[in-house]
Each structure stands twice: as structure tokens, then as C-alpha cells.
């Protein structure tokens, strides 16, 4: 988009970029300011703020196709003295014909338009394999009682469908659309029927949008190139038996990976971590922020690791870095009064820039992991997490729940709220009548918190530590031990899993079945019938020696152990190399069609981790989409 505005007759190599609130977020999630300035953008402006005229410069508009935005654009460029020399206009989604006609009516603007195009990019990337439609209240707007066909309901559904469709338009992918089928039970209530139809309604709306792209976008595929599965957070119990509880509990249960723990226990601004460093002048500590994204190799390696494993890896990396990096050795030697040869000094100088950058990265992650482990110890989160897991897997019940509430009166209301939601969903029969009310009274919950538990039950459809031995001068410990799952082996090595990681997102079951062609049509209806896709999938399976036969859902108790990944190789200078997982998506794109999974009502970080894991397992790139990416505090505050 930015590069397309370069024309031979342009009087200036610089241009102004003008956006609205939504497109600013789209661009911010996709690139950095440096990427924009590299393409000749000298100034970024807000469409609705007063702007200084720059008649000698070209302007690039990246805006939503709304009436308000079009009126503002025309106001900028019409009349005898427009704000800019020429305007290149890109809409984030398809523009209605009446708005195009409105633009054509202004004869003074037409000669000043250098481009009028549909960019079709109105989604927000959360990492290389995830996106959201930025609708935090979708669960309430769609699933609350008496919401069907209201203005809020229709607007939420239309925005969601349009933004999802722009994903496929921008990637030039034509999906085979599948969704969870509505229940055919004659005993279902009107509310249940309404909720059951939401995935189907969304699938139909997406299909309608994509069909229009087939005739309007040049070179758009004529046959299916990928698969899209649409599910929601209120998935029907009958279709998956005892596994249904996973999908509803995922947003509130404590997830023990490094990424999830950071966003659950620490105060982050998106993926930005703010911390303090000692002042160089000896004054008050200075505030510094760091962005945890795909440009940070340490983050890429640790984000999906269990917090205990992440702590160990950081300890090993820091020890290895200090022992092998010449600049670090020089600093230690200088602090200890040691001397270095001229040759060593020369190597130190050569390593200094990389030393500073790598040391800063490691130091940030050491501080983050240290804070997380400190919080875990302070609030007794291991015991809390153990009880959560036991409740989900049927190893604990009302006795343990009552004992927890009686002995943990001082625990935060957030922890008790999450525990009671888990108990209400995992053991619904123990929460019927006044049983649940008595438990909530024992927990001293506020009326708002009681409503939160009842709302979650309603949405769910309730039933009628290795120690650090390195010499780097710090210690990261996790007071747990790896828990072996006897009888589960892979090739020659017995797999191991960390304690508290038994719970896994149900979406993994669906992706695996979808990848192997095992999703039953009776439970997941189809919007289109791509014969070519089925044939190609079968051919790919045959060539790799894989079967496409139906695979039974795995019991919660026979869950295969999690693979947290091998430790990254470390180069001689102490810096970690790129992990296999980081490069995996590039390779997998060549090996099969993409799989898209969209979750209505919010996705969790455990589900995002599962997407990366299943990409490696299926050798097909899997992409997760949702209305929002939820951490437990935000999920509880916004949705219940």
C-alpha cells in the first residue's frame, strides 16, 4: 500500500499517512514506525484531528469505508485549497456503492485522487499465526438473553464477518467454511436454539463476503485453497461428551506457560513490558520499556515453555553467555581485578555491541521470570493450580473445594472467583440449587462476583525445578518437579510433562481431526462442498503415509504429554540461535493447505500456543482467529 503511491511525477519523496482509530490499530499490529518511514512517510495524522495544510505533499489515506470517514476525506481534498497535493485512498474493507457515488459527486476532488482502492485488511495480528477482530464484548452482545436481531447483535455479527473475510481477501485464500452445527433437539429452549445458530449465522455471513471477493478481487482463487473452522465458547456438551468443559474453562484456569503467566500475573500494556533500571547518574531509577515480539529471539524460544522450564533455560543461557562472551568475561575480570591480554581485549571490543544487546535481552527476561516466580510463591499459586487441575480432571470435589475456601479466606477475590467458575463448570451437579450459593457465600463473594459465576454457568449451558548451578550470580527456582506419565513413550525417549500442565485446550482435538479429515459432517456443517480440497487432502495424506480415517477424541485422563521443545542451540558468543519453531511456518506453508480456526467469544494464550504446536505436528500452518485474545483478568471484567 505504501509503496504503490510512488509515482514518477511526484514532486516529493515524502508523504503524509492519515488513518482513523481502527486502521491505526491495524497498522500498529502489523509493522513498526521505522517500517513506515522507510517507505517515505514523514508524518502520521489522525483523520478527525485538526491538521496543518501541506499542499506540496501527497497524502495516503488508510481508512474504514464509513460515511463519516468519506465526508472527512472529501472535506480535506475539495475546494480551491485542498490540504494535500494528491490523495491515495485505501479502504480497510469493501466500500458501499453509495459512498463511491458520493465521492464521484464532488468534481473538484476527482482530479486530486491518485488511487481509490480496497485494501481489505481490517484485522489485527497478535503474532505470526494469530489475529483478532477486536470485539471484546462479542460474547455478551451475541449470547446474552433477548439479544437476537437487535441492532447491537447485527452490528457485531456484520463487523465480525467483514473483518474475518478481509483476512482471506488479503491473503488471497479461498476457504472451505465449516462450523459447529446447531443442535436439532426438540427440547431445546429458544435461547439455546439462538445461541446454537450463532456459528452457523457467522459462517453464512463470511461465505457471503468471500463470494463477493471472487468477482471483485483480481486473481482471487476459483477453488478452495484452505480450511476454516468456526466454533464458539459455548460449544454443545452432547457433541463431545465430557470434553466440553475444556472450552469454557480455558479462559479462567491458570495457564503455566511463560507467555500466559506474564499476561496473567504482571501488568503489561499489550506486549510491552515496563521496568526500572538503575540511573547512570546515581539518581532515581529510570523507566524503560521493551516490546516482546517476534524480533526478540529469547521471547520466541521461551513464550510457550512452562514457567519452570523457561526459568531453567534462562539460567543456562545466562551462565553460558557469561562464560563464552569475551566482553562479559572482561567485565567480570575488571570487577574482580583480573587482567586480559591484548588479543583478548581485541575480541572483547569486537563482541561488545552484541554483548550489550544480548545481555539486555537476557536481563529483561531474567527479571520477568524472577517476578513471576516470586508471585507464584507469595500467593501459593502452585497449590491453587493443583486444585484447579484436580477439579477439572475429577480428582477433587466438594470436600476439597470447601476446605480451600475455609482455609484461604485471605486469598484475593480474583483467585476465589476463578476457582468457583472452574468448579461450577467442571462439577455442575454440585452447583445446583442452593449448593452453589452457599459456596459463594462461604467465599464472601460480592453480588457482582456472584452474578459473574452465574453468567458463566448460563453461557456454558449448565446441566439440568532443577536448581541453578551456574556462576552467573543469580538464581531462578521453581519449587515443582516434573511429573512422569507412565506408559507414554515417543520413539526411544520417554516424554515428560511439567506438573500443572495436564489441562489443555479442546481446540487441539478439533484441529487434529480437521487435519486428518475426521470431523463428522453431522456435527460440523459445511457452507461449500470443495471436492478438489478433499481429493488433494487425501493425496497429500497418501504421499506422506498418513491416514485420513476418523480419530477418536482423547480422554482427559489419557492426554498425551506436552512437548515443551528442546533447548535452543547456543553459539560461541553465548547468544541463542533461532529455534526450529520460529522457522517452522515458512516451511509448513509449502507442505499443505492452511487451517484457520476462528473462536467466537475470545481466544486464550493456551489456544494460541496450541496453534503453534499443531502446526509442527500436522506439518500444515494453522492460524487462530478470534474476537479477542483474553487473559483471565480481562475476560472476567469484560465478559461476565
Amino acid at each position: 500500500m505504501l509503496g504503490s503511491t510512488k509515482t514518477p511525477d511526484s514532486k516529493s519523496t515524502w508523504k503524509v499517512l492519515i488513518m482513523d482509530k481502527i486502521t491505526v490499530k491495524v497498522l500498529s499490529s502489523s509493522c513498526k514506525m521505522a517500517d513506515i518511514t522507510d517507505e517515505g512517510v514523514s508524518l502520521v495524522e489522525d483523520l478527525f484531528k485538526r491538521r496543518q495544510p501541506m499542499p506540496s505533499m501527497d497524502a495516503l489515506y488508510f481508512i474504514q469505508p464509513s460515511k463519516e470517514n468519506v465526508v472527512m476525506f472529501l472535506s480535506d481534498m475539495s475546494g480551491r485549497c485542498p490540504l494535500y497535493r494528491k490523495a491515495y485512498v485505501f479502504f480497510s474493507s469493501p466500500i458501499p456503492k453509495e459512498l463511491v457515488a458520493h465521492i464521484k459527486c464532488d468534481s473538484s476532488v476527482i482530479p486530486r485522487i491518485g488511487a481509490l482502492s480496497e485494501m481489505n485488511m481490517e484485522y489485527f495480528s497478535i503474532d505470526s499465526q494469530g489475529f483478532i477482530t477486536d470485539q471484546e464484548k462479542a460474547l455478551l452482545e451475541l449470547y446474552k438473553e433477548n439479544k437476537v436481531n437487535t441492532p447491537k447483535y447485527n452490528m457485531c455479527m456484520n463487523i465480525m464477518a467483514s473483518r474475518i473475510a478481509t483476512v482471506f481477501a488479503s491473503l488471497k485464500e479461498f476457504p472451505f467454511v465449516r462450523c459447529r452445527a446447531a443442535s436439532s433437539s426438540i427440547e431445546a429452549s429458544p435461547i439455546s436454539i439462538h445461541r446454537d445458530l450463532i456459528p452457523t449465522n457467522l459462517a453464512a455471513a463470511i461465505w457471503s463476503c468471500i463470494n463477493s471477493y471472487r468477482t471483485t478481487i483480481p486473481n482471487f482463487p476459483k477453488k478452495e485453497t484452505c480450511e476454516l473452522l468456526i466454533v464458539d465458547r459455548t460449544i454443545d456438551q452432547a457433541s463431545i461428551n465430557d470434553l466440553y468443559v475444556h472450552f469454557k474453562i480455558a479462559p479462567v484456569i491458570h495457564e503455566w506457560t511463560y507467555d500466559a503467566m506474564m499476561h496473567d500475573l504482571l501488568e503489561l500494556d499489550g506486549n510491552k513490558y515496563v521496568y526500572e533500571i538503575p540511573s547512570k547518574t546515581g539518581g532515581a531509577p529510570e523507566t524503560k520499556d521493551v516490546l516482546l515480539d517476534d524480533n526478540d529471539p529469547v521471547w520466541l524460544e521461551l513464550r510457550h515453555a512452562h514457567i519452570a522450564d523457561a526459568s531453567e533455560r534462562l539460567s543456562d543461557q545466562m551462565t553460558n553467555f557469561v562464560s563464552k562472551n569475551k566482553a562479559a568475561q572482561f567485565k567480570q575480570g575488571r570487577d574482580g581485578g583480573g587482567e586480559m591480554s591484548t588479543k583478548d581485549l581485541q575480541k572483547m571490543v569486537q563482541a561488545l555491541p552484541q554483548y550489550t544487546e544480548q545481555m539486555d535481552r537476557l536481563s529483561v527476561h531474567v527479571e520477568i521470570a524472577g517476578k513471576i516466580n516470586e508471585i507464584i510463591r507469595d500467593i501459593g499459586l502452585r497449590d491453587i493450580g493443583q486444585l484447579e487441575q484436580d477439579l477439572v480432571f475429577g480428582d477433587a470435589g466438594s470436600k476439597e473445594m470447601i476446605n480451600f475456601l475455609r482455609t484461604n479466606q485471605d486469598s484475593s477475590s480474583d483467585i476465589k472467583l476463578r476457582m468457583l467458575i472452574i468448579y461450577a463448570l467442571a462439577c455442575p451437579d454440585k452447583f445446583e440449587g442452593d449448593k452453589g450459593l452457599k459456596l459463594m457465600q462461604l467465599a464472601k463473594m460480592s453480588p457482582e462476583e456472584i452474578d459473574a459465576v452465574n453468567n458463566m454457568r448460563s453461557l456454558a449451558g449448565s446441566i439440568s525445578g532443577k536448581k541453578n548451578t551456574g556462576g552467573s550470580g543469580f538464581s531462578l527456582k521453581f519449587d515443582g518437579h516434573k511429573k512422569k506419565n507412565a506408559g507414554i513413550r515417543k520413539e526411544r525417549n520417554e516424554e515428560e510433562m511439567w506438573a500443572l500442565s495436564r489441562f489443555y485446550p479442546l481446540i487441539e482435538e478439533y484441529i487434529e481431526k480437521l487435519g486428518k479429515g475426521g470431523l463428522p459432517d453431522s456435527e460440523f456443517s459445511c457452507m461449500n462442498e470443495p471436492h478438489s480440497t478433499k481429493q488433494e487432502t487425501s493425496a497429500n495424506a497418501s504421499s506422506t503415509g498418513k491416514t485420513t480415517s476418523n480419530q477418536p477424541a482423547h480422554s482427559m485422563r489419557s492426554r498425551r504429554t506436552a512437548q515443551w521443545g528442546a533447548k535452543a542451540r547456543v553459539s560461541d558468543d553465548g547468544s541463542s540461535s533461532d529455534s526450529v519453531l520460529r522457522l517452522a511456518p515458512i516451511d509448513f506453508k509449502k507442505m499443505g493447505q492452511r487451517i484457520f480456526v476462528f473462536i467466537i467469544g475470545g481466544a486464550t494464550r493456551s489456544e494460541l500456543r496450541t496453534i503453534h504446536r499443531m502446526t509442527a505436528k500436522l506439518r500444515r500452518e494453522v492460524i487462530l482467529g478470534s474476537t479477542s485474545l483474553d487473559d483471565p483478568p480481562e475476560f472476567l471484567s469484560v465478559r461476565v
Side-chain angles (χ1 to χ4, degrees), residues 129 490 511-512 515-516 540-541 543-546 580-581 583-595 610-622:
Q129 289 177 237
K490 182 179 181 181
I511 295 171
E512 186 162 11
K516 295 179 178 179
N540 289 340
S543 64
T544 56
K546 295 180 181 178
V580 175
L581 284 178
L583 300 176
I586 300 174
D587 297 328
F588 294 140
K589 286 176 185 175
K590 302 176 182 178
M591 304 191 69
Q593 296 179 341
R594 283 182 171 122
I595 294 175
T610 295
I611 292 299
H612 288 272
R613 182 176 180 273
M614 295 308 294
T615 293
K617 182 172 183 179
L618 298 177
R619 301 183 67 78
R620 292 172 64 181
E621 188 180 27
V622 185

Side-chain angles (χ1 to χ4, degrees), residues 193-265:
I193 294 172
H194 152 61
R195 290 173 176 172
D196 254 5
L197 286 172
I198 289 175
T200 303
N201 292 341
L202 178 61
I206 293 172
W207 177 242
S208 175
C209 292
I210 290 173
N211 262 330
S212 67
Y213 285 138
R214 296 172 69 183
T215 58
T216 58
I217 296 180
N219 302 319
F220 195 79
K222 301 300 181 184
K223 64 179 182 178
E224 293 78 6
T225 60
C226 64
E227 296 180 85
L228 167 63
L229 175 64
I230 300 170
V231 293
D232 61 4
R233 295 238 76 92
T234 63
I235 197 158
D236 180 44
Q237 174 193 1
S239 62
I240 47 172
N241 301 321
D242 63 331
L243 289 176
Y244 86 106
V245 72
H246 280 71
F247 220 55
K248 295 132 182 176
I249 288 177
V252 293
I253 196 169
H254 282 92
E255 163 76 3
W256 290 80
T257 57
Y258 184 54
D259 180 19
M261 279 275 143
M262 281 181 52
H263 287 84
D264 195 351
L265 303 181

Side-chain angles (χ1 to χ4, degrees), residues 207-489:
W207 177 242
S208 175
C209 292
I210 290 173
N211 262 330
S212 67
Y213 285 138
R214 296 172 69 183
T215 58
T216 58
I217 296 180
N219 302 319
F220 195 79
K222 301 300 181 184
K223 64 179 182 178
E224 293 78 6
T225 60
C226 64
E227 296 180 85
L228 167 63
L229 175 64
I230 300 170
V231 293
D232 61 4
R233 295 238 76 92
T234 63
I235 197 158
D236 180 44
Q237 174 193 1
S239 62
I240 47 172
N241 301 321
D242 63 331
L243 289 176
Y244 86 106
V245 72
H246 280 71
F247 220 55
K248 295 132 182 176
I249 288 177
V252 293
I253 196 169
H254 282 92
E255 163 76 3
W256 290 80
T257 57
Y258 184 54
D259 180 19
M261 279 275 143
M262 281 181 52
H263 287 84
D264 195 351
L265 303 181
L266 304 180
E267 293 184 5
L268 272 69
D269 180 10
N271 271 5
K272 184 171 71 174
Y273 176 69
V274 181
Y275 64 106
E276 291 184 345
I277 58 174
S279 173
K280 295 179 181 178
T281 60
E286 299 175 0
T287 300
K288 189 175 182 180
D289 57 72
V290 61
L291 196 61
L292 305 170
D293 58 15
D294 289 2
N295 295 310
D296 183 349
V298 180
W299 165 250
L300 281 177
E301 181 185 341
L302 299 178
R303 59 180 175 174
H304 296 148
H306 190 286
I307 181 60
D309 191 18
S311 299
E312 288 188 10
R313 292 194 205 183
L314 278 170
S315 175
D316 292 344
Q317 282 192 24
M318 183 67 87
T319 301
N320 190 62
F321 180 80
V322 171
S323 66
K324 292 186 178 181
N325 187 279
K326 299 299 180 183
Q329 288 175 6
F330 171 74
K331 186 177 186 303
Q332 282 194 333
R334 183 183 62 186
D335 293 344
E339 295 182 359
M340 298 183 72
S341 66
T342 303
K343 187 175 181 180
D344 287 337
L345 284 171
Q346 184 180 15
K347 290 182 178 180
M348 180 275 296
V349 172
Q350 293 172 347
L352 194 57
Q354 187 173 358
Y355 160 77
T356 303
E357 180 183 358
Q358 184 68 8
M359 192 66 179
D360 286 346
R361 282 177 179 164
L362 285 174
S363 297
V364 168
H365 289 286
V366 166
E367 176 177 314
I368 291 172
K371 281 189 175 181
I372 291 172
N373 283 309
E374 183 180 350
I375 294 172
I376 289 171
R377 289 191 295 269
D378 289 348
I379 66 176
L381 195 56
R382 267 191 52 80
D383 292 336
I384 293 168
Q386 187 64 59
L387 180 56
E388 290 177 347
Q389 300 276 324
D390 289 344
L391 288 172
V392 172
F393 286 85
D395 298 328
S398 56
K399 180 182 177 181
E400 290 80 5
M401 189 68 209
I402 292 171
N403 182 61
F404 169 79
L405 294 176
R406 283 177 175 169
T407 58
N408 292 272
Q409 292 289 322
D410 295 333
S411 292
S412 70
S413 59
D414 173 74
I415 287 176
K416 289 186 285 187
L417 175 60
R418 290 166 68 171
M419 187 73 76
L420 279 166
I421 289 175
I422 291 170
Y423 183 63
L425 297 178
C427 309
D429 57 319
K430 303 291 180 64
F431 223 83
E432 290 298 318
D434 62 349
K435 297 178 185 177
L437 181 60
K438 288 180 179 179
L439 283 174
M440 291 187 283
Q441 289 173 343
L442 178 61
K444 297 180 180 179
M445 301 184 74
S446 68
E448 292 78 12
E449 290 168 338
I450 292 175
D451 287 342
V453 176
N454 290 331
N455 284 342
M456 285 297 292
R457 292 179 66 215
S458 173
L459 289 171
S462 57
I463 298 176
S464 317
K466 190 170 73 174
K467 294 183 179 180
N468 171 38
T469 56
S472 57
F474 71 96
S475 176
L476 290 173
K477 298 178 182 178
F478 187 87
D479 57 344
H481 302 282
K482 287 183 179 179
K483 181 177 180 180
K484 293 186 178 181
N485 190 349
I488 304 295
R489 294 177 179 271

Side-chain angles (χ1 to χ4, degrees), residues 518-580:
L519 273 184
D521 291 342
S522 59
E523 295 180 16
F524 295 89
S525 57
C526 315
M527 289 293 109
N528 47 335
E529 188 60 32
H531 300 287
S532 58
T533 299
K534 290 185 176 180
Q535 292 169 357
E536 290 167 10
T537 302
S538 300
N540 289 340
S542 301
S543 64
T544 56
K546 295 180 181 178
T547 178
T548 57
S549 60
N550 291 358
Q551 299 294 323
H554 300 289
S555 162
M556 288 190 289
R557 295 183 181 273
S558 63
R559 160 78 168 112
R560 292 182 301 281
T561 53
Q563 289 180 277
W564 299 105
K567 293 180 179 179
R569 294 169 293 175
V570 181
S571 60
D572 290 339
D573 66 357
S575 61
S576 62
S577 62
D578 289 342
S579 67
V580 175

